[in-house]
């Protein structure tokens, strides 16, 4: 198929581009096979280059002989094109619709993209499983690298080589794969060097109503336990959902066959519920009623922050089982490709300092999302604006990035990367010139020959002249475990990803806002929002009180300014502060109520997120 066949009008002059926080720009609109381009001859005016694959929906409106096309993007941007001439407007809209809904992956831009920079690193080979195994081998000899899935015959959603217990042979792995949904047998996710405990992940066992068992599966899981030790199975479904799955052929591990393991159910929503949550969140932020009660009601109805809390709580639980309880953990839901990966990857960010570096986080995304078989092609096919019927779409990866931002906000000095890095990953997961997030698993990427035909995102990100943009200037290497608070008042709406929210911000504070961030009703977490009052906003969290946190501004009051989060109680924390109670051993957050977010997460209801209290 030729792209020219889909482009009815390749060029239109005198088009006006309207974008929030940008002056109206007039210029020439051009359509190519992969881009919508608006070029202006005005001085100091940037060109707009928009990938067709980034377009979620378009709307047309006509007034007289001219028309307006509103383009809503998967990265949540909204732009408007004002075109003179009804025919031209209809042709442009029709062409954009056709080019933005191409079914064939091989027609997407990554297969045609040619970099304008010198490629000094092959990102496709930056984080091979063999490299992770080499590091593991230096710590323990209890594991081996298996190529049982080298031709993807055992599990199409797994990578060709996997780290498994040394005492389990490949034939046993095949039997275990037949016992687990989609062939996703338990594999190593993380090894905790502090105490030798491990975290594994898999899909649900196919026990069914007859209580089917697999001795090889029992042996594999028990091989991860130390003598006299117990383990925890964290099921990311509620008990009710797990029992319903059992009636359909799925199920969960029976206590009679896994006596050394304790099963804990933590409900994390998936698929259409998460997609609806994102849609409701976007609708709430686009509401122009300027009514605070309406805004808060819609925000609560979206349940977005509730999902964040559920995911973080489960990740903290997994981390506590490993670090505090000294127990190994197996995490799974149904397929083990969504909520399971959210939990295992966030638990590693909590436990492992390397995962808080730029390259360490890239390795984590590669290992726990791409190589682990998260179906990016399906989950990111649509965003919040699409009018198409939902199928497999869900903001699973976006929720994970949001959770990472929550932890980064609470520990601003413990991460080498900044918010911009997370936003960049979000944008490229939905639309990109790189092939990293194409396909649903390693099997599909192998068939598409992405390594040979496309460029990896990591090749671009890791360039010296690009990586500095993603570096956190406050970063100070912290070798400790960090324990984020999941109390409701500790979780904020992530502004960085919400570029579309400027519409509401502009209408609420037209004379005082100068950034692309939303103003949260009770607290602000953005370095670029300027208020009408003298309150200054720095990289830290500023609360309604007069407490100001800025490393570079000296105030008459004795308020201490540090890169940490300052609460109204004037309690200040820095990584080197030693508390008399000796409760805190990591960069924790001190709340006005003196609740300490230490390895035992204290909730407002005094519920402790600890496996021993569940």
């Amino acid at each position: 198929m030729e792209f020219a066949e889909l482009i009815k009008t390749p060029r239109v002059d005198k088009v006006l581009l309207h974008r929030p926080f940008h002056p109206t720009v007039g210029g020439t609109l051009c359509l190519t096979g992969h881009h919508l381009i608006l070029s202006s001859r005005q001085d100091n005016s940037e060109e707009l280059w928009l990938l067709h694959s980034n377009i979620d929906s378009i709307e047309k409106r006509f007034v007289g002989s001219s028309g307006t096309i509103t383009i809503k993007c998967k990265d949540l941007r909204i732009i408007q094109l004002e075109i003179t001439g009804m025919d031209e407007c209809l042709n442009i809209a029709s062409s954009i619709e056709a080019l933005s809904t191409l079914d064939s992956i091989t027609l997407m831009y990554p297969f045609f993209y040619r970099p304008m920079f010198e490629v000094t690193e092959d990102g496709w080979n930056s984080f091979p499983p063999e490299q992770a195994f080499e590091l593991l081998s230096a710590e323990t000899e209890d594991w081996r690298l298996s190529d049982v899935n080298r031709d993807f015959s055992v599990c199409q959603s797994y990578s060709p080589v996997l780290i498994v217990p040394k005492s389990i042979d490949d034939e046993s792995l095949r039997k275990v794969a037949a016992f687990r949904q989609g062939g996703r047998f338990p594999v190593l996710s993380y090894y905790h060097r502090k105490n030798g405990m491990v975290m594994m992940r898999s899909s649900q066992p196919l026990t069914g109503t007859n209580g089917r068992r697999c001795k090889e599966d029992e042996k594999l899981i028990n091989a991860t336990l130390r003598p006299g030790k117990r383990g925890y199975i964290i099921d990311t479904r509620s008990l009710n959902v797990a029992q319903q799955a059992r009636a359909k052929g799925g199920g969960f591990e029976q206590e009679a066959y896994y006596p050394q393991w304790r099963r804990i159910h933590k409900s994390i929503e998936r698929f259409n519920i998460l997609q609806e949550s994102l849609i409701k969140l976007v609708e709430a932020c686009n509401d122009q009623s300027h009514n605070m009660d309406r805004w808060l009601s819609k925000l609560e109805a979206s349940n977005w922050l509730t999902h964040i809390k559920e995911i973080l709580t489960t990740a903290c639980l997994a981390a506590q089982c490993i670090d505090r309880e000294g127990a190994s953990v197996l995490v799974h839901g149904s397929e083990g490709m969504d909520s399971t990966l959210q939990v295992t990857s966030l638990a590693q960010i909590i436990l492992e300092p390397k995962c808080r570096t730029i390259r360490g986080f890239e390795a984590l995304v590669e290992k726990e999302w791409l190589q682990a078989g998260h179906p990016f092609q399906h989950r990111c096919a649509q965003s919040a604006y699409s009018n198409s019927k939902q199928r497999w779409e869900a903001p699973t990866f976006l929720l994970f990035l949001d959770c990472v931002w929550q932890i980064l906000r609470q520990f601003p000095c413990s991460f080498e990367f900044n918010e911009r890095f997370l936003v960049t990953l979000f944008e490229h997961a939905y639309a990109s010139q790189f092939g990293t997030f194409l396909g649903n698993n390693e099997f599909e990427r192998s068939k598409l020959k992405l390594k040979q035909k496309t460029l990896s995102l990591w090749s671009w990100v890791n360039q010296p002249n690009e990586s500095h943009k993603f570096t956190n200037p406050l970063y100070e290497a912290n070798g400790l475990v960090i324990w984020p608070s999941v109390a409701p008042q500790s979780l904020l709406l992530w502004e960085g990803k919400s570029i579309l929210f400027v519409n509401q911000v502009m209408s609420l504070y037209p004379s005082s806002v100068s950034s692309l961030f939303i103003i949260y009703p009770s607290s602000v977490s953005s370095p670029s929002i300027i208020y009408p009052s003298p309150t200054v906003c720095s990289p830290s969290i500023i609360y309604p009180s007069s407490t100001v946190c800025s490393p570079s501004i000296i105030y008459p009051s004795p308020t201490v300014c540090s890169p940490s989060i300052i609460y109204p109680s004037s309690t200040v924390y820095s990584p080197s502060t030693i508390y008399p109670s000796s409760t805190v051993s990591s960069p924790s957050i001190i709340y006005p109520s003196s609740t300490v977010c230490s390895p035992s997460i204290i909730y407002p209801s005094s519920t402790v997120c600890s496996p021993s209290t569940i």
Side-chain angles (χ1 to χ4, degrees):
M1 184 197 71
E2 295 292 337
F3 291 114
E5 299 173 6
L6 303 177
I7 303 175
K8 297 180 179 180
T9 301
R11 170 175 169 167
V12 179
D13 294 320
K14 298 180 180 179
V15 175
L16 296 180
L17 170 66
H18 303 281
R19 291 179 294 176
F21 288 104
H22 290 77
T24 299
V25 176
T28 299
L29 177 68
C30 298
L31 292 183
T32 70
H34 298 103
H35 286 92
L36 180 153
I37 307 168
L38 190 132
S39 179
S40 173
R41 293 183 175 86
Q42 299 175 9
D43 294 337
N44 301 321
S45 179
E46 295 182 3
E47 291 185 337
L48 169 70
W49 286 69
L50 179 66
L51 277 170
H52 296 313
S53 59
N54 194 10
I55 297 174
D56 210 23
S57 70
I58 68 169
E59 299 172 1
K60 304 180 289 290
R61 183 170 58 87
F62 296 97
V63 178
S65 60
S66 64
T68 300
I69 299 176
T70 301
I71 299 176
K72 297 181 178 181
C73 304
K74 293 176 183 177
D75 62 10
L76 307 182
R77 280 184 293 171
I78 300 178
I79 64 175
Q80 289 184 333
L81 299 173
E82 191 175 323
I83 301 174
T84 302
M86 185 176 296
D87 290 340
E88 286 81 357
C89 186
L90 285 171
N91 287 341
I92 290 294
S94 175
S95 300
I96 293 174
E97 286 178 336
L99 291 167
S100 62
T101 56
L102 295 175
D103 292 329
S104 176
I105 296 179
T106 56
L107 293 177
M108 291 186 173
Y109 187 49
F111 287 92
F112 299 83
Y113 172 68
R114 296 296 177 266
M116 301 296 290
F117 59 90
E118 182 183 358
V119 179
T120 57
E121 176 184 347
D122 181 8
W124 288 114
N125 296 312
S126 293
F127 310 105
E130 293 82 0
Q131 185 181 77
F133 178 71
E134 184 178 347
L135 295 174
L136 176 66
S137 299
E139 303 288 340
T140 176
E141 297 180 353
D142 296 335
W143 300 81
R144 69 182 181 91
L145 201 62
S146 172
D147 62 352
V148 66
N149 196 43
R150 57 185 174 275
D151 56 357
F152 301 100
S153 59
V154 175
C155 177
Q156 290 190 357
S157 60
Y158 270 168
S159 58
V161 291
L162 301 156
I163 301 177
V164 298
K166 196 171 187 178
S167 59
I168 307 299
D169 58 36
D170 285 353
E171 185 58 34
S172 296
L173 292 178
R174 292 188 180 92
K175 292 180 180 179
V176 177
F179 181 67
R180 295 277 171 172
Q181 181 169 337
R184 295 176 66 86
F185 56 88
V187 297
L188 181 68
S189 175
Y190 171 69
Y191 176 85
H192 197 42
R193 290 176 294 173
K194 175 182 175 181
N195 56 17
M197 296 299 105
V198 300
M199 179 166 56
M200 302 184 76
R201 50 175 161 78
S202 69
S203 60
Q204 67 177 341
L206 302 177
T207 57
T209 55
N210 296 326
R212 179 188 172 201
R213 67 181 295 190
C214 176
K215 292 184 178 181
E216 288 79 8
D217 185 82
E218 299 161 18
K219 182 181 178 182
L220 190 159
I221 295 177
N222 288 332
T224 66
L225 296 177
R226 295 277 182 86
K229 289 284 187 177
R230 290 174 59 88
Y232 290 93
I233 298 174
I234 298 179
D235 194 324
T236 60
R237 306 166 295 179
S238 66
L239 178 58
N240 185 45
V241 172
Q243 289 174 338
Q244 291 176 1
R246 185 179 179 184
K248 298 177 182 178
F252 47 85
E253 293 80 3
Q254 300 294 315
E255 293 180 6
Y257 303 142
Y258 301 86
Q260 294 175 275
W261 293 82
R262 184 179 180 183
R263 194 176 70 252
I264 303 174
H265 290 273
K266 302 293 288 184
S267 178
I268 297 178
E269 300 293 354
R270 297 158 53 246
F271 300 143
N272 61 318
I273 294 177
L274 297 181
Q275 188 69 7
E276 287 296 331
S277 178
L278 177 62
I279 292 171
K280 289 179 180 179
L281 176 65
V282 171
E283 288 177 353
C285 295
N286 278 333
D287 191 314
Q288 299 294 314
S289 65
H290 302 181
N291 183 294
M292 182 61 75
D293 291 338
R294 182 183 175 92
W295 153 247
L296 292 175
S297 176
K298 284 195 168 188
L299 177 61
E300 182 181 9
S302 74
N303 283 322
W304 185 262
L305 291 178
T306 300
H307 298 317
I308 296 292
K309 183 180 184 299
E310 291 171 348
I311 296 167
L312 279 174
T313 299
T314 309
C316 286
L317 174 63
Q320 285 180 255
C321 289
I322 294 170
D323 186 71
R324 306 295 294 179
E325 298 288 327
S328 291
V329 171
L330 169 65
V331 183
H332 72 71
S334 294
E335 297 86 357
M337 297 187 293
D338 291 277
S339 58
T340 298
L341 306 184
Q342 290 172 329
V343 172
T344 57
S345 50
L346 286 169
Q348 291 178 60
I349 288 174
I350 294 170
L351 296 170
E352 180 53 59
K354 288 183 180 178
C355 293
R356 299 172 221 146
T357 65
I358 292 178
R359 292 193 69 90
F361 191 79
E362 292 172 2
L364 181 71
V365 170
E366 188 74 32
K367 176 174 68 76
E368 292 297 304
W369 290 86
L370 294 163
Q371 296 172 6
H374 178 67
F376 280 98
Q377 199 70 39
H378 284 164
R379 298 292 182 265
C380 301
Q382 299 175 12
S383 188
Y385 295 116
S386 177
N387 298 317
S388 302
K389 184 179 179 180
Q390 295 180 26
R391 292 181 291 178
W392 308 287
E393 295 79 13
T396 309
F397 188 63
L398 174 56
L399 274 165
F400 160 68
L401 295 175
D402 200 326
C403 289
V404 175
W405 177 81
Q406 302 287 343
I407 305 175
L408 187 155
R409 185 188 63 81
Q410 294 183 21
F411 299 90
C413 300
S414 296
F415 289 80
E416 185 185 20
F417 54 84
N418 55 22
E419 181 185 40
R420 181 174 181 177
F421 184 55
L422 299 177
V423 174
T424 299
L425 292 180
F426 157 61
E427 293 172 343
H428 284 274
Y430 279 86
S432 178
Q433 66 268 43
F434 305 106
T436 300
F437 294 107
L438 288 182
N440 291 307
N441 48 57
E442 291 291 274
F443 174 66
E444 290 188 9
R445 296 185 189 101
S446 176
K447 287 178 59 179
L448 292 168
K449 297 182 179 180
L450 293 183
K451 292 184 179 182
Q452 294 79 25
K453 296 183 178 181
T454 69
L455 191 68
S456 169
L457 173 64
W458 315 131
S459 297
W460 172 68
V461 168
N462 292 331
Q463 292 182 98
N465 61 332
E466 293 293 338
S467 61
H468 79 277
K469 300 175 185 176
F470 307 121
T471 301
N472 175 15
L474 302 178
Y475 175 63
E476 183 176 348
N478 172 17
L480 300 174
V481 174
I482 58 176
W483 298 100
S485 169
V486 295
Q489 58 267 41
S490 302
L491 305 178
L492 300 181
L493 199 61
W494 181 20
E495 321 85 0
K497 71 173 185 302
S498 310
I499 299 176
L500 83 164
F501 298 161
V502 297
N503 296 326
Q504 177 158 332
V505 178
M506 283 191 69
S507 58
L508 288 174
Y509 302 91
S511 62
S512 59
V513 181
S514 62
S515 76
L516 298 179
F517 301 111
I518 183 174
I519 294 181
Y520 195 68
S522 61
S523 56
V524 179
S525 147
S526 166
S528 56
I529 297 180
I530 301 175
Y531 292 85
S533 67
T535 306
V536 179
C537 182
S538 73
S540 298
I541 310 291
I542 307 303
Y543 282 77
S545 68
S546 59
T547 306
V548 179
C549 173
S550 171
S552 58
I553 300 177
I554 301 177
Y555 294 90
S557 67
T559 304
V560 180
C561 300
S562 76
S564 302
I565 299 176
I566 310 299
Y567 284 81
S569 63
S570 78
T571 304
V572 181
Y573 177 80
S574 68
S576 59
T577 304
I578 300 177
Y579 291 88
S581 63
S582 72
T583 304
V584 181
S585 61
S586 66
S588 304
I589 297 175
I590 310 301
Y591 292 88
S593 62
S594 78
T595 302
V596 181
C597 173
S598 70
S600 294
I601 309 268
I602 310 298
Y603 295 88
S605 61
S606 77
T607 303
V608 180
C609 176
S610 169
S612 60
T613 60
I614 299 176

